[in-house]
Amino acid sequence: MIATSGSNTVPLLEVRSLCKRFPGVRALHQVDLRLGAGEVLALVGENGAGKSTLMKILAGVQPPDEGEILIDGRREEIDGVSRAMELGISLIHQELNLSDNLSVAANIFLGREPTRWGLIDHATIRRESMRHLSAVGLDVSPDTLVRDLTIGRQQMVEIAKALSADARVLIMDEPTSSLSHKESEALFRVVRDLRRRGVSVIYISHRLGEVEALADRVMVMRDGENAGELVGEQIDHDAMVSRMVGRDVSRFYERSQKASPEVSSRPPALEVQGLVVPEHPRHAISLAVRPGEIVGLAGLVGAGRTELLRCVFGVTQPLGGSVRVQGKTIDLRSPAGPIANGMGLVPEDRKEQGLVIDFPVQTNVSLAGLASQARNRLWINFDAEAQDTRRSIERLRIKTPTPQQIVRYLSGGNQQKVVLGKWLSMNPGVLLLDEPTRGIDIGAKEEIYSLMETLAAEGMAILFVSSEMEEVIALSDRVLVMHEGQISGELAGASITEEQIMNLATGST
Amino acid sequence: MNKVLGIFGLLLFVCLFTTVMSDSFVSEYNLYNITRWSALFGILSIGVAFVIITGGIDLSIGSVVGLVACLLPMLVTEYDVAPWAALLIVMVIAGALGLLHGILITRLDLQPFVVTLCGLLFYRGFARWMTDDGTLGFGQEYDDGLRLLAIGKPCSWATMLLIGGLGLVIWGIWKAIRPSSTHVDPASTEARAARLRSWSLPVIGAFLALVGASRFFLGWELGEGTVLLQAGGYQIRSLGIQVPADAVDVPSRVMRVAGTILFIPLVLWFLIAAGRGNLKRVRWPVAAVCVSLVLLALCVWNLVPLYDRAAADDLWQVGVLRVSGNALKSGLMAVVFLVVGASIGAIGWLLSAAASASPICKALIPALIASGVLMLLGQTNFAATMVPMPVLFLILIAIAASIFLNQTIYGRYLFALGRNEEAARYSGIDTKRMIVVAYVLCALAAGLGGILFSLDVNSVQPSGFGNFYELYAIAAAVLGGCSLRGGEGNVLGVVIGAAVMRVLYNAINILGISTKLEFAIIGLVILAGAMVDVVVKRVIASRAAKADAAQVANR
């Protein structure tokens, strides 16, 4: 399409040998980057490859240690977010930076409010906001409060905000990670539209399918360095992955062996009967998972999968129905009941719900099991704690210098392994996982897949929620699909296909 | 641990500065008062530390102190309730108030700040209405009974050193001989350092016990012992050990001599180990310590006598300047302040540089500090000073709190939920109940504090008694290493923090600085402490980053 990386034209944005270090980490090393006007450049790489750091430097959030940044061929010091915005660079964070108590219009002009006689000029704000909202195809009133919008629409507001600041370079960090399929499509339309209007986009994503569909050029990063560039026809899944991991990998994980047919005759380890989840009070949900079985819970974002898991685990209290583990009805007033009966939940948000992220690995691994191994249910058993942690670190291959390392400084994949370690040290019969591989790199993903497989083979009942279709298809013995708070269908064996799941998930059958 | 050392350095700084400027700071009478008041505030601070660890705050402490301090004399003198019953009643009331706070915060999801702020206002107002704003007290009647709980002097510090030292020996040996679960090569420096560290505890303990025991060297006999508490015809008495009058000063002498004997080889060992570890890194800190100590000696020998001689209304010729006595005094005080600060700072710098240069040095730090402090304390007659009752309470509470926080699962739960309540809940912890427990413990500590304060002062004005105590307690906890974000804190630091607050207050009085400046100075010191903490953290982080970068570059 547009090959602006040629040497005769001056690129809109150029980065030369950028370096950045953090304590204990070399985040960026001699990184180069060129971006032409109206180009969509995708930036891919595993977690910790340095993508986010590079973008934060461009957006003025952090200063670089070495290297230079050129805009229109002129050397610029980007020493703050406001300077970056003056130069036309806007960053849209993975976690949106909107004040959800303010209106759409107020957010778009936050910090740059036009004034008349020293007072905020509301009329101009509304008029201009409407113009920018229509530019991103968002049909909402500028007076709507941001918190009343869906995540997808909030993202559009962020883009409109960037446009209102005359952004020439729009950096999007994992924009689709919490969007539904439909919302993602809308976002892609906007990105293509921006490209037509000459706005350049740097698009960071783990979802290589999107990158294939959207990008003019792909830059791959690995360990803080450039690891290759792909243009046009070269952009393809395997080519990207092999550069990301530095080796050839098969297209997707394949489970070596699905559960044997004998499994279906076992009594269920987890039985949910007529459970009424408080967020979806009009539906009662029943399901069963047998020992040795991996059951996938598919559906769109907002279909009620997370809410269901949280309710089964006693985080929220059901309005009706019951949960039985190994045939025994359990007390759902708090997670203590399910945990005592051999259930574990790897929650959706590992930083907020899974981990005390400022505490050491050991403290996190032992947190749930502390009471059961305590002497007289009071005194911490430090020896058992250290042993359990060591065992978890070995078994899950958690890469940490010592068990006393603060979890925050581990990579996403290793953090998730710490959460898993917390439950595995208790030998649960039932394991619930909510988006277990979200935001972690390919190597760690595969380790978690093979771990799930091993655990199932050992007789654990596994119920997992995932928005990644390939994952659900590759791992599940059965798939339950949810749509608007209820289970809209069950698939097993050969009928587990992407089409079938989408049909059930969108309620279009 | 670094935070505790930091706050300890601050305490040492204030003590040293005041001692250098004025002899009366280390007088027996003053030491007794400082330890008593520090202990009273320490009890409140430990209580609020529990709440702060959960990420909450309790602003009602001062008012709970005031309410309890009004209720106790009322019950005892006006309603003729038996003392033990009155104590029980007020403690139950205090606990119930904590329970109420906890329930309002966890069940109704009210913010701790709001709930306890309302508590602060309500209990104060209620106490004033209940007493009709009249001053209360116990009179003379309970001086030999109930009031001994606060004003009793059970034993001298020498006896405490003996008991504490023996305890430390037993605990240290038990810890040292327990099989360690780490697999380290026994010949490595790390293993040697670990052995050194684990054996230094019982050695320090034995040393303390020796100092304490020296008091009984000249002989002793059992006697009546002072009455600590009289309740319902029963008496609790202190150990009735009497020693000859000339034995009273022996422990101080032993402390001074033995401290010096122990300190000097330890310093040499420390410096040699540091030099072997990384000479480059420690040479500047060593130089800084030497220079600052020489300056300190000059201050003590030259400036302080001058300071003492200078009368406020004289005119003085200093070099070419003619200054008033007042300006001279202030100037000298500022110079000594800086020099003492520089000395402590340089020592801290040396300790941290040496600790990173050699693990042996790191292991020697506790013994080094213990022997150094004993050497200094030996210059005073601290060992002959009596222990105030509140100190006994504080020690018991501090040990119990420390064990609760560090050895039991519930302590661990408090830390975990303080930093991330949701993750704790997802791990099956009953976070609400634990939060309630924290508020109850805090209110109980405030209740005990109220009892002791009222017994001690014996004259309670409902309108002002305990005002601002919550802020003193919170400040002490924060100085001692509790983070208001929750999930952080340790008891020893909090106790030292409370001591810093009191010593500071005392120093202002002793040095003749206007007491109107009291709040300003305390505020400045806390601010400076917080700033130093942040700056040191940043320096360490940037240095680590630089070392890291150098390592990467060498690769």
Side-chain angles (χ1 to χ4, degrees), chain B residues 249-295:
Chain B
D249 292 330
V250 175
S252 288
R253 230 173 303 146
V254 173
M255 212 187 237
R256 183 162 66 234
V257 175
T260 316
I261 291 174
L262 197 66
F263 183 67
I264 289 169
L266 271 175
V267 167
L268 290 177
W269 189 3
F270 180 83
L271 288 177
I272 290 169
R276 279 208 189 129
N278 188 345
L279 185 61
K280 248 180 159 174
R281 200 180 280 180
V282 293
R283 58 186 180 181
W284 285 115
V286 170
V289 170
C290 293
V291 170
S292 61
L293 286 183
V294 168
L295 287 177

Short mmCIF file of all heavy atoms in Angstrom, two decimals, chain B residues 249-295:
data_model
loop_
_atom_site.label_atom_id
_atom_site.label_comp_id
_atom_site.label_asym_id
_atom_site.label_seq_id
_atom_site.Cartn_x
_atom_site.Cartn_y
_atom_site.Cartn_z
N ASP B 249 24.82 1.93 91.10
CA ASP B 249 25.55 2.49 89.97
C ASP B 249 26.41 1.47 89.23
O ASP B 249 26.99 1.78 88.19
CB ASP B 249 26.44 3.65 90.45
CG ASP B 249 25.60 4.81 90.90
OD1 ASP B 249 24.49 4.96 90.35
OD2 ASP B 249 26.03 5.55 91.81
N VAL B 250 26.50 0.23 89.81
CA VAL B 250 27.38 -0.76 89.18
C VAL B 250 26.98 -1.07 87.74
O VAL B 250 27.84 -1.07 86.84
CB VAL B 250 27.43 -2.04 90.03
CG1 VAL B 250 28.24 -3.12 89.31
CG2 VAL B 250 28.04 -1.72 91.38
N PRO B 251 25.71 -1.31 87.43
CA PRO B 251 25.37 -1.67 86.06
C PRO B 251 25.81 -0.63 85.03
O PRO B 251 26.29 -1.00 83.96
CB PRO B 251 23.85 -1.78 86.10
CG PRO B 251 23.51 -2.05 87.49
CD PRO B 251 24.54 -1.32 88.31
N SER B 252 25.69 0.64 85.37
CA SER B 252 26.11 1.66 84.43
C SER B 252 27.59 1.54 84.13
O SER B 252 28.01 1.64 82.98
CB SER B 252 25.82 3.05 84.99
OG SER B 252 24.44 3.28 84.97
N ARG B 253 28.35 1.29 85.19
CA ARG B 253 29.80 1.16 85.00
C ARG B 253 30.11 -0.06 84.13
O ARG B 253 30.88 0.01 83.18
CB ARG B 253 30.50 1.05 86.36
CG ARG B 253 31.67 2.02 86.49
CD ARG B 253 32.24 2.00 87.89
NE ARG B 253 31.23 2.30 88.92
CZ ARG B 253 31.22 1.76 90.15
NH1 ARG B 253 32.14 0.90 90.50
NH2 ARG B 253 30.29 2.10 91.02
N VAL B 254 29.44 -1.18 84.45
CA VAL B 254 29.66 -2.39 83.66
C VAL B 254 29.27 -2.15 82.21
O VAL B 254 29.97 -2.54 81.27
CB VAL B 254 28.84 -3.56 84.25
CG1 VAL B 254 28.92 -4.79 83.35
CG2 VAL B 254 29.36 -3.90 85.63
N MET B 255 28.16 -1.46 82.04
CA MET B 255 27.65 -1.17 80.70
C MET B 255 28.70 -0.39 79.92
O MET B 255 29.00 -0.69 78.76
CB MET B 255 26.40 -0.32 80.86
CG MET B 255 25.34 -0.52 79.80
SD MET B 255 24.09 0.72 80.08
CE MET B 255 22.66 -0.26 80.28
N ARG B 256 29.24 0.64 80.59
CA ARG B 256 30.20 1.52 79.93
C ARG B 256 31.45 0.75 79.53
O ARG B 256 31.86 0.75 78.37
CB ARG B 256 30.54 2.67 80.88
CG ARG B 256 31.47 3.70 80.31
CD ARG B 256 31.38 4.98 81.12
NE ARG B 256 31.87 4.80 82.49
CZ ARG B 256 31.17 5.10 83.59
NH1 ARG B 256 29.95 5.58 83.48
NH2 ARG B 256 31.68 4.93 84.79
N VAL B 257 32.00 0.01 80.53
CA VAL B 257 33.26 -0.68 80.28
C VAL B 257 33.06 -1.83 79.29
O VAL B 257 33.73 -1.91 78.25
CB VAL B 257 33.84 -1.22 81.61
CG1 VAL B 257 35.08 -2.05 81.33
CG2 VAL B 257 34.16 -0.04 82.53
N ALA B 258 32.08 -2.68 79.59
CA ALA B 258 31.88 -3.85 78.73
C ALA B 258 31.45 -3.42 77.33
O ALA B 258 31.86 -4.01 76.33
CB ALA B 258 30.84 -4.78 79.34
N GLY B 259 30.61 -2.37 77.26
CA GLY B 259 30.17 -1.87 75.96
C GLY B 259 31.36 -1.45 75.13
O GLY B 259 31.48 -1.80 73.95
N THR B 260 32.28 -0.72 75.76
CA THR B 260 33.46 -0.25 75.03
C THR B 260 34.32 -1.43 74.60
O THR B 260 34.79 -1.49 73.48
CB THR B 260 34.28 0.69 75.94
OG1 THR B 260 33.37 1.58 76.58
CG2 THR B 260 35.26 1.50 75.11
N ILE B 261 34.52 -2.38 75.55
CA ILE B 261 35.36 -3.54 75.22
C ILE B 261 34.78 -4.31 74.04
O ILE B 261 35.50 -4.80 73.18
CB ILE B 261 35.49 -4.46 76.46
CG1 ILE B 261 36.33 -3.75 77.52
CG2 ILE B 261 36.11 -5.80 76.10
CD1 ILE B 261 36.41 -4.51 78.82
N LEU B 262 33.47 -4.43 74.01
CA LEU B 262 32.84 -5.17 72.93
C LEU B 262 32.82 -4.36 71.63
O LEU B 262 32.99 -4.89 70.54
CB LEU B 262 31.41 -5.53 73.34
CG LEU B 262 30.73 -6.64 72.53
CD1 LEU B 262 31.43 -7.96 72.75
CD2 LEU B 262 29.26 -6.73 72.94
N PHE B 263 32.63 -3.05 71.80
CA PHE B 263 32.39 -2.21 70.64
C PHE B 263 33.63 -2.07 69.77
O PHE B 263 33.56 -2.17 68.54
CB PHE B 263 31.91 -0.83 71.11
CG PHE B 263 31.56 0.11 70.01
CD1 PHE B 263 30.45 -0.13 69.21
CD2 PHE B 263 32.30 1.26 69.77
CE1 PHE B 263 30.10 0.74 68.19
CE2 PHE B 263 31.96 2.14 68.76
CZ PHE B 263 30.86 1.87 67.98
N ILE B 264 34.78 -1.87 70.41
CA ILE B 264 35.98 -1.56 69.63
C ILE B 264 36.39 -2.72 68.70
O ILE B 264 36.55 -2.51 67.50
CB ILE B 264 37.13 -1.12 70.56
CG1 ILE B 264 36.77 0.27 71.11
CG2 ILE B 264 38.47 -1.09 69.84
CD1 ILE B 264 37.65 0.74 72.24
N PRO B 265 36.50 -3.97 69.22
CA PRO B 265 36.83 -5.04 68.26
C PRO B 265 35.76 -5.22 67.19
O PRO B 265 36.08 -5.53 66.04
CB PRO B 265 36.95 -6.28 69.15
CG PRO B 265 36.45 -5.92 70.48
CD PRO B 265 36.45 -4.44 70.59
N LEU B 266 34.49 -5.01 67.57
CA LEU B 266 33.43 -5.16 66.57
C LEU B 266 33.61 -4.15 65.44
O LEU B 266 33.45 -4.47 64.27
CB LEU B 266 32.06 -4.96 67.23
CG LEU B 266 31.40 -6.21 67.82
CD1 LEU B 266 30.11 -5.84 68.53
CD2 LEU B 266 31.12 -7.24 66.74
N VAL B 267 33.94 -2.91 65.81
CA VAL B 267 34.14 -1.89 64.80
C VAL B 267 35.29 -2.28 63.88
O VAL B 267 35.19 -2.18 62.65
CB VAL B 267 34.42 -0.52 65.46
CG1 VAL B 267 34.93 0.47 64.42
CG2 VAL B 267 33.17 0.02 66.11
N LEU B 268 36.40 -2.76 64.49
CA LEU B 268 37.54 -3.16 63.68
C LEU B 268 37.16 -4.29 62.73
O LEU B 268 37.44 -4.26 61.54
CB LEU B 268 38.71 -3.59 64.59
CG LEU B 268 39.35 -2.44 65.37
CD1 LEU B 268 40.43 -2.97 66.29
CD2 LEU B 268 39.91 -1.39 64.41
N TRP B 269 36.50 -5.30 63.28
CA TRP B 269 36.05 -6.44 62.48
C TRP B 269 35.18 -5.95 61.31
O TRP B 269 35.38 -6.32 60.15
CB TRP B 269 35.27 -7.40 63.38
CG TRP B 269 34.93 -8.71 62.76
CD1 TRP B 269 35.28 -9.15 61.52
CD2 TRP B 269 34.15 -9.76 63.36
NE1 TRP B 269 34.77 -10.41 61.30
CE2 TRP B 269 34.09 -10.81 62.41
CE3 TRP B 269 33.53 -9.93 64.60
CZ2 TRP B 269 33.39 -11.99 62.67
CZ3 TRP B 269 32.84 -11.10 64.85
CH2 TRP B 269 32.79 -12.13 63.89
N PHE B 270 34.27 -5.06 61.67
CA PHE B 270 33.33 -4.52 60.68
C PHE B 270 34.09 -3.81 59.57
O PHE B 270 33.85 -4.05 58.37
CB PHE B 270 32.39 -3.56 61.40
CG PHE B 270 31.36 -2.92 60.54
CD1 PHE B 270 30.17 -3.57 60.23
CD2 PHE B 270 31.56 -1.64 60.03
CE1 PHE B 270 29.23 -2.98 59.45
CE2 PHE B 270 30.61 -1.05 59.25
CZ PHE B 270 29.44 -1.72 58.95
N LEU B 271 35.04 -2.96 59.96
CA LEU B 271 35.76 -2.18 58.95
C LEU B 271 36.63 -3.08 58.08
O LEU B 271 36.70 -2.91 56.86
CB LEU B 271 36.63 -1.12 59.63
CG LEU B 271 35.84 0.04 60.25
CD1 LEU B 271 36.78 1.00 60.96
CD2 LEU B 271 35.03 0.77 59.20
N ILE B 272 37.26 -4.08 58.71
CA ILE B 272 38.11 -4.99 57.92
C ILE B 272 37.25 -5.77 56.93
O ILE B 272 37.57 -5.88 55.74
CB ILE B 272 38.89 -5.94 58.86
CG1 ILE B 272 39.94 -5.14 59.63
CG2 ILE B 272 39.55 -7.06 58.07
CD1 ILE B 272 40.57 -5.91 60.77
N ALA B 273 36.11 -6.27 57.42
CA ALA B 273 35.23 -7.04 56.53
C ALA B 273 34.75 -6.16 55.38
O ALA B 273 34.70 -6.59 54.22
CB ALA B 273 34.04 -7.59 57.32
N ALA B 274 34.41 -4.90 55.71
CA ALA B 274 33.93 -3.99 54.67
C ALA B 274 35.03 -3.72 53.66
O ALA B 274 34.80 -3.72 52.45
CB ALA B 274 33.45 -2.70 55.30
N GLY B 275 36.25 -3.51 54.16
CA GLY B 275 37.37 -3.23 53.27
C GLY B 275 37.67 -4.41 52.36
O GLY B 275 37.92 -4.24 51.17
N ARG B 276 37.57 -5.62 52.91
CA ARG B 276 37.80 -6.81 52.07
C ARG B 276 36.70 -6.95 51.05
O ARG B 276 36.92 -7.38 49.93
CB ARG B 276 37.81 -8.06 52.96
CG ARG B 276 39.13 -8.26 53.63
CD ARG B 276 39.35 -9.73 53.91
NE ARG B 276 40.52 -9.89 54.75
CZ ARG B 276 40.52 -10.60 55.87
NH1 ARG B 276 39.42 -11.22 56.25
NH2 ARG B 276 41.61 -10.69 56.58
N GLY B 277 35.47 -6.60 51.47
CA GLY B 277 34.34 -6.75 50.56
C GLY B 277 34.46 -5.81 49.37
O GLY B 277 34.47 -6.23 48.22
N ASN B 278 34.54 -4.54 49.64
CA ASN B 278 34.64 -3.57 48.56
C ASN B 278 35.17 -2.27 49.13
O ASN B 278 34.41 -1.41 49.57
CB ASN B 278 33.26 -3.38 47.92
CG ASN B 278 33.35 -2.54 46.67
OD1 ASN B 278 34.36 -1.87 46.43
ND2 ASN B 278 32.31 -2.57 45.88
N LEU B 279 36.48 -2.15 49.11
CA LEU B 279 37.14 -1.01 49.76
C LEU B 279 36.69 0.30 49.14
O LEU B 279 36.44 1.28 49.83
CB LEU B 279 38.66 -1.16 49.66
CG LEU B 279 39.47 -0.10 50.39
CD1 LEU B 279 39.17 -0.14 51.88
CD2 LEU B 279 40.97 -0.31 50.17
N LYS B 280 36.56 0.26 47.80
CA LYS B 280 36.20 1.48 47.07
C LYS B 280 34.90 2.06 47.58
O LYS B 280 34.74 3.27 47.69
CB LYS B 280 36.03 1.13 45.60
CG LYS B 280 37.09 1.72 44.70
CD LYS B 280 36.77 1.26 43.29
CE LYS B 280 37.37 2.12 42.23
NZ LYS B 280 37.12 1.49 40.91
N ARG B 281 33.96 1.17 47.86
CA ARG B 281 32.63 1.66 48.19
C ARG B 281 32.56 2.24 49.60
O ARG B 281 31.70 3.06 49.89
CB ARG B 281 31.62 0.52 48.03
CG ARG B 281 30.22 1.04 47.88
CD ARG B 281 29.21 -0.07 47.71
NE ARG B 281 29.18 -0.59 46.35
CZ ARG B 281 28.36 -1.57 45.97
NH1 ARG B 281 27.57 -2.12 46.83
NH2 ARG B 281 28.36 -1.99 44.73
N VAL B 282 33.44 1.77 50.50
CA VAL B 282 33.30 2.22 51.89
C VAL B 282 34.30 3.32 52.26
O VAL B 282 34.20 3.89 53.33
CB VAL B 282 33.46 1.06 52.91
CG1 VAL B 282 32.31 0.10 52.79
CG2 VAL B 282 34.78 0.37 52.74
N ARG B 283 35.26 3.64 51.38
CA ARG B 283 36.30 4.58 51.85
C ARG B 283 35.73 5.97 52.11
O ARG B 283 36.06 6.60 53.09
CB ARG B 283 37.48 4.63 50.89
CG ARG B 283 37.06 5.03 49.50
CD ARG B 283 38.19 4.95 48.52
NE ARG B 283 37.65 5.36 47.23
CZ ARG B 283 38.34 5.40 46.12
NH1 ARG B 283 39.58 5.02 46.12
NH2 ARG B 283 37.78 5.78 45.01
N TRP B 284 34.82 6.44 51.24
CA TRP B 284 34.25 7.77 51.49
C TRP B 284 33.38 7.81 52.73
O TRP B 284 33.50 8.73 53.55
CB TRP B 284 33.50 8.28 50.26
CG TRP B 284 34.45 8.72 49.19
CD1 TRP B 284 34.62 8.16 47.96
CD2 TRP B 284 35.40 9.80 49.26
NE1 TRP B 284 35.60 8.80 47.26
CE2 TRP B 284 36.11 9.81 48.03
CE3 TRP B 284 35.74 10.72 50.24
CZ2 TRP B 284 37.11 10.73 47.75
CZ3 TRP B 284 36.74 11.64 49.96
CH2 TRP B 284 37.43 11.64 48.74
N PRO B 285 32.48 6.82 52.90
CA PRO B 285 31.70 6.83 54.15
C PRO B 285 32.59 6.79 55.40
O PRO B 285 32.32 7.51 56.37
CB PRO B 285 30.86 5.55 54.05
CG PRO B 285 30.77 5.28 52.60
CD PRO B 285 32.01 5.80 51.96
N VAL B 286 33.66 6.00 55.38
CA VAL B 286 34.54 5.94 56.55
C VAL B 286 35.15 7.32 56.81
O VAL B 286 35.17 7.80 57.95
CB VAL B 286 35.66 4.88 56.34
CG1 VAL B 286 36.71 5.00 57.43
CG2 VAL B 286 35.08 3.48 56.35
N ALA B 287 35.60 7.95 55.73
CA ALA B 287 36.18 9.28 55.88
C ALA B 287 35.14 10.24 56.46
O ALA B 287 35.44 11.03 57.37
CB ALA B 287 36.67 9.78 54.53
N ALA B 288 33.91 10.14 55.96
CA ALA B 288 32.85 11.05 56.43
C ALA B 288 32.60 10.83 57.92
O ALA B 288 32.44 11.80 58.68
CB ALA B 288 31.58 10.82 55.64
N VAL B 289 32.58 9.56 58.34
CA VAL B 289 32.35 9.27 59.76
C VAL B 289 33.48 9.87 60.60
O VAL B 289 33.24 10.52 61.62
CB VAL B 289 32.23 7.74 59.99
CG1 VAL B 289 32.23 7.44 61.48
CG2 VAL B 289 30.98 7.20 59.34
N CYS B 290 34.74 9.66 60.15
CA CYS B 290 35.87 10.17 60.92
C CYS B 290 35.78 11.69 61.06
O CYS B 290 35.86 12.24 62.16
CB CYS B 290 37.19 9.79 60.24
SG CYS B 290 37.50 8.02 60.28
N VAL B 291 35.57 12.37 59.93
CA VAL B 291 35.52 13.83 59.95
C VAL B 291 34.40 14.31 60.85
O VAL B 291 34.58 15.17 61.72
CB VAL B 291 35.34 14.38 58.52
CG1 VAL B 291 35.05 15.87 58.57
CG2 VAL B 291 36.57 14.10 57.69
N SER B 292 33.22 13.71 60.69
CA SER B 292 32.07 14.21 61.46
C SER B 292 32.26 13.94 62.95
O SER B 292 31.85 14.75 63.78
CB SER B 292 30.77 13.61 60.94
OG SER B 292 30.80 12.22 61.07
N LEU B 293 32.92 12.81 63.29
CA LEU B 293 33.12 12.53 64.71
C LEU B 293 34.14 13.50 65.31
O LEU B 293 33.98 13.95 66.45
CB LEU B 293 33.58 11.08 64.91
CG LEU B 293 32.47 10.04 64.72
CD1 LEU B 293 32.99 8.64 65.00
CD2 LEU B 293 31.27 10.34 65.61
N VAL B 294 35.17 13.85 64.52
CA VAL B 294 36.13 14.85 65.01
C VAL B 294 35.41 16.18 65.25
O VAL B 294 35.57 16.82 66.29
CB VAL B 294 37.29 15.02 64.00
CG1 VAL B 294 38.12 16.24 64.35
CG2 VAL B 294 38.15 13.76 63.98
N LEU B 295 34.58 16.56 64.28
CA LEU B 295 33.82 17.80 64.44
C LEU B 295 32.93 17.74 65.68
O LEU B 295 32.82 18.70 66.43
CB LEU B 295 32.95 18.05 63.20
CG LEU B 295 33.70 18.49 61.94
CD1 LEU B 295 32.73 18.63 60.78
CD2 LEU B 295 34.41 19.81 62.21
#
